[in-house]
Amino acid sequence: MGCYDCCMKCLGGVPYCSLVATLLCFSGIALFCGCGHQALTETERLIETYFARNLQDYITLAYLIQYFQYVIYGLASFFFLYCIVLLAEGFYTTSAAKQTFGEFRSTLCGRCLSSTFILITYLLAVVWLLVFAFSALPVYFFYNMDATCQTITVLTETPASINQLCIDARQYGLLPWNALPGKACGMTLSTVCKTREFRVTYDLYIAAFAGAGITLLALLTYMVSTTYNFAVLRYLGRKGIGTRC
């Protein structure tokens, strides 16, 4: 076998779909976890500075932010390991399906393992769809805040109407209803929107939302690739090519 044929044989066993999904998953999780972690920190700083005067008013929010940051650490570790496992499973199923390595064949245990990964990936995709929807909430909050600030900028000639434009953090469940001031209005709100903290936090949440979408796309790609490879392995087993462990 020549060098070219050997290279083509090796490239024929590469699960390109799983490889693309792994790269998407790594980039999406890195974006979601990294930007999400920093965005939560900046959010706590904004609430503490502009929307709450008493520590007891946002202590629950601070604990929730800390809890979500620990969840982010766990998500990053889990998806890193799980993507590596899925990529390895993709190499196995692709090689078995294409019979790349001589006498290597699909086994019953291999098909059972593939079906298990399919089930887990489907469940993760459903759960991550909820995470994707949840990550849109802070983007919606900051979008409304930015839109209100732009309206204030347009209405600077009528101060009376400006003071009626407010963003109330209590309405979004970020603070209890007895928190003071709990909201920012008029030029105070406009000043908040011009701060670096607001812009950075807004951009971070947008990046985290995009990362969640990329991760969801990666999981859907995994679902397609693992389902296809499992179908091929099952077909090989019915043809009598498969073996038992």
Side-chain angles (χ1 to χ4, degrees):
M1 182 181 295
C3 180
Y4 176 80
D5 294 333
C6 184
C7 291
M8 290 299 100
K9 181 179 178 180
C10 292
L11 291 176
V14 176
Y16 293 103
C17 190
S18 296
L19 184 61
V20 170
T22 301
L23 295 177
L24 285 175
C25 190
F26 281 168
S27 59
I29 285 296
L31 199 60
F32 175 79
C33 293
C35 294
H37 182 278
Q38 187 60 31
L40 290 173
T41 302
E42 295 294 335
T43 299
E44 182 179 0
R45 186 177 293 114
L46 281 174
I47 293 295
E48 177 184 1
T49 305
Y50 300 104
F51 291 92
R53 298 171 183 170
N54 192 350
L55 175 63
Q56 298 302 321
D57 291 338
Y58 65 91
I59 189 64
T60 302
L61 178 64
Y63 281 130
L64 286 176
I65 288 176
Q66 187 177 18
Y67 170 77
F68 280 120
Q69 287 176 334
Y70 285 131
V71 171
I72 285 175
Y73 298 146
L75 280 175
S77 302
F78 170 78
F79 271 95
F80 176 78
L81 295 176
Y82 188 67
C83 288
I84 293 296
V85 171
L86 284 182
L87 182 60
E89 192 266 348
F91 272 101
Y92 163 75
T93 53
T94 302
S95 299
K98 295 184 178 180
Q99 305 176 20
T100 304
F101 301 107
E103 297 300 322
F104 185 67
R105 299 292 187 267
S106 64
T107 63
L108 181 60
C109 289
R111 294 194 297 273
C112 292
L113 187 62
S114 296
S115 62
T116 302
F117 283 131
I118 291 174
L119 178 60
I120 296 175
T121 306
Y122 269 78
L123 292 176
L124 284 176
V126 173
V127 173
W128 201 258
L129 183 61
L130 298 177
V131 174
F132 178 66
F134 178 77
S135 62
L137 295 179
V139 177
Y140 174 74
F141 171 78
F142 279 89
Y143 172 79
N144 284 343
M145 191 170 175
D146 185 61
T148 304
C149 289
Q150 293 180 5
T151 304
I152 292 174
T153 303
V154 174
L155 299 177
T156 51
E157 297 180 358
T158 54
S161 61
I162 290 178
N163 293 329
Q164 297 177 2
L165 298 175
C166 302
I167 288 293
D168 196 338
R170 297 169 296 186
Q171 292 181 347
Y172 295 89
L174 300 178
L175 294 173
W177 283 106
N178 58 351
L180 293 175
K183 62 181 180 179
C185 301
M187 295 307 300
T188 301
L189 177 60
S190 179
T191 302
V192 175
C193 292
K194 293 177 182 178
T195 60
R196 175 185 174 276
E197 291 83 0
F198 172 80
R199 290 298 170 187
V200 169
T201 307
Y202 190 13
D203 293 340
L204 287 173
Y205 274 123
I206 293 176
F209 177 70
I214 295 173
T215 306
L216 181 60
L217 178 61
L219 290 174
L220 294 176
T221 307
Y222 274 130
M223 288 167 52
V224 173
S225 63
T226 53
T227 303
Y228 171 78
N229 288 332
F230 174 75
V232 174
L233 289 178
R234 191 169 183 178
Y235 172 77
L236 293 177
R238 288 180 176 179
K239 299 293 284 185
I241 300 177
T243 60
R244 293 183 179 271
C245 293

